[in-house]
Amino acid sequence: MTRTVRSAVTGVGGYLPDNVVTNEDLAKIVDTTDAWIVERTGIRRRHKAGPDQLTSDLAVEAARKALAAAGRTPADVDLIVVATTTPDLTFPATAAIVQRKLGVPVCPAFDVQAVCSGFVYALSVADGFVARGHARCALVIGAEEMTRLLDYTDRGTCVLFGDGAGAVVVEPVEGEGTTADRGLLGFALRCDGGKTDLLYVDGGPASTGHVGHLRMVGNQVFRHAVVNISEAIEAASRAAGVEIKDIDWFIPHQANQRILQGVADRLGIDETKVVSTVADHANTSAASIPLAWAAAVEDGRVKPGDLLVLEAMGGGLTWGACTLRL
Ligand code: COA
């Protein structure tokens, strides 16, 4: 029988900065209430990086935990892909800075920019390297300081986002080529650049020369979310050859409880299978999936052998899903 090499996730880790900002804290600086934020989003609090803490610092903490979980050290790493929309600097890539801070030997290291969908995109890039034998120990990190992009006079956006990082280690494993194999089994990645105006940052090196602030037409983003995400999950599961009823854990991007519940309802995924950290983390963009994943591994819900589906949607608009067996 022909053996198949797949890319498998062998370790997961998450890191949140210590400082917690509650809805009540925000209600002191912008016209909002805890009740409004909880009812419309499910968010109760978010973490905010300290003034001297960089995105790469959060990434390094998460990466160390993921490497420890995989039984690997920085010396083993031969690929770093960082998904971020809030890099330390315009260049070099945050991945290069993470490489230096972790002490990883010379290897490919670069960032992926697909905003909140960045982690799913980055995972598919690492899958390309690992499954083809071009890397044997890849670090895939989602790391964000979204609070640096917020306009704290805009109540429609400043209550929604937080900071954090999550990381996974991806390594080759041999399988039989069936859906019982460990590994990344199916992806669906999408972008509709016709919808850039719905969610963007109003600055950048080539336009204003400044970083800018996050702008969003929230109700229109909401309208696209459930349908688009559901389609991507169905496509990723078809590509994997599995049925949605067989999924053990649904680990969505943590933008809004109503969106992730809406997707679960549309696809008939029982709410007991949904990993939700939105109340405590808010939307940490590319970090949200690995952060939620790490929390569910830490508390013993997600175990080796489980079939997982990850999904995200963000600026671009980008969206996507990945079906995998741990
Ligand atoms: N506190 C109190 N009121 C607020 C508010 C806040 N933080 N933010 C907006 N409002 C008000 C608006 O000003 C508006 O008031 P008006 O009717 O007097 O003009 C009213 O609430 C309704 O605004 P709307 O934007 O239509 O609300 P909504 O029900 O769509 O909820 C979001 C707003 C942002 C929570 C919701 O649209 C959403 O979650 N969208 C998706 C966002 C998302 O997840 N984006 C990231 C994807 S990665």
Side-chain angles (χ1 to χ4, degrees):
M1 182 183 291
T2 319
R3 306 280 289 174
T4 305
V5 175
R6 297 210 194 253
S7 320
V9 170
T10 56
V12 185
Y15 175 78
L16 290 159
D18 293 338
N19 183 27
V20 173
V21 179
T22 63
N23 292 346
E24 286 84 0
D25 294 331
L26 290 175
K28 289 178 195 146
I29 57 171
V30 70
D31 182 17
T32 191
T33 60
D34 174 56
W36 191 95
I37 301 170
V38 172
E39 190 204 314
R40 301 291 177 110
T41 70
I43 297 166
R44 294 180 183 276
R45 57 191 72 83
R46 71 285 294 141
H47 291 248
K48 186 172 182 178
D52 300 326
Q53 228 173 357
L54 303 178
T55 296
S56 61
D57 296 323
L58 312 189
V60 162
E61 296 295 335
R64 285 206 173 102
K65 290 189 188 172
L67 286 168
R72 299 286 172 208
T73 69
D76 298 319
V77 173
D78 58 3
L79 171 70
I80 304 175
V81 188
V82 174
T84 188
T85 197
T86 49
D88 291 8
L89 300 168
T90 302
F91 81 81
T94 301
I97 302 169
V98 168
Q99 181 188 29
R100 170 171 56 77
K101 289 183 176 174
L102 274 177
V104 169
V106 171
C107 69
F110 54 92
D111 292 356
V112 164
Q113 161 58 300
V115 203
C116 298
S117 310
F119 182 75
V120 179
Y121 271 65
L123 205 51
S124 85
V125 171
D127 180 36
F129 276 77
V130 173
R132 281 168 186 75
H134 300 313
R136 296 198 57 79
C137 182
L139 254 181
V140 179
I141 306 170
E144 300 279 20
E145 295 193 350
M146 294 304 283
T147 64
R148 310 286 202 231
L149 297 178
L150 299 177
D151 171 357
Y152 282 96
T153 65
D154 176 9
R155 66 180 182 173
T157 54
C158 75
V159 302
L160 302 176
F161 296 88
D163 302 335
V168 297
V169 175
V170 181
E171 300 183 69
V173 291
E174 280 205 355
E176 306 291 344
T178 73
T179 58
D181 288 351
R182 285 182 77 188
L184 306 174
L185 301 174
F187 281 94
L189 302 179
R190 315 268 189 259
C191 179
D192 179 357
K195 297 193 172 62
T196 48
D197 290 352
L198 300 186
L199 177 53
Y200 63 101
V201 168
D202 62 3
S207 53
T208 62
H210 301 288
V211 171
H213 286 123
L214 187 148
R215 304 294 175 203
M216 179 170 69
V217 189
N219 47 15
Q220 289 204 44
V221 173
F222 195 97
R223 205 165 301 144
H224 289 288
V226 173
V227 174
N228 284 348
I229 292 167
S230 301
E231 183 279 327
I233 291 174
E234 285 172 326
S237 299
R238 247 193 333 272
V242 302
E243 293 193 40
I244 288 171
K245 69 174 176 43
D246 297 325
I247 288 163
D248 295 304
W249 292 104
F250 173 42
I251 308 184
H253 168 49
Q254 309 285 320
N256 181 317
Q257 186 65 27
R258 285 156 65 213
I259 295 176
L260 57 94
Q261 198 55 55
V263 171
D265 289 348
R266 191 181 172 97
L267 296 178
I269 300 172
D270 194 90
E271 66 178 333
T272 57
K273 296 179 171 183
V274 180
V275 176
S276 176
T277 51
V278 70
D280 296 326
H281 299 178
N283 183 345
T284 57
S285 187
S288 92
I289 292 173
L291 266 172
W293 188 348
V297 167
E298 217 162 274
D299 67 21
R301 276 177 294 169
V302 170
K303 296 186 194 63
D306 283 350
L307 188 64
L308 313 184
V309 66
L310 321 176
E311 60 83 350
M313 175 174 165
L317 293 178
T318 55
W319 65 101
C322 171
T323 304
L324 67 118
R325 191 175 297 282
L326 253 194

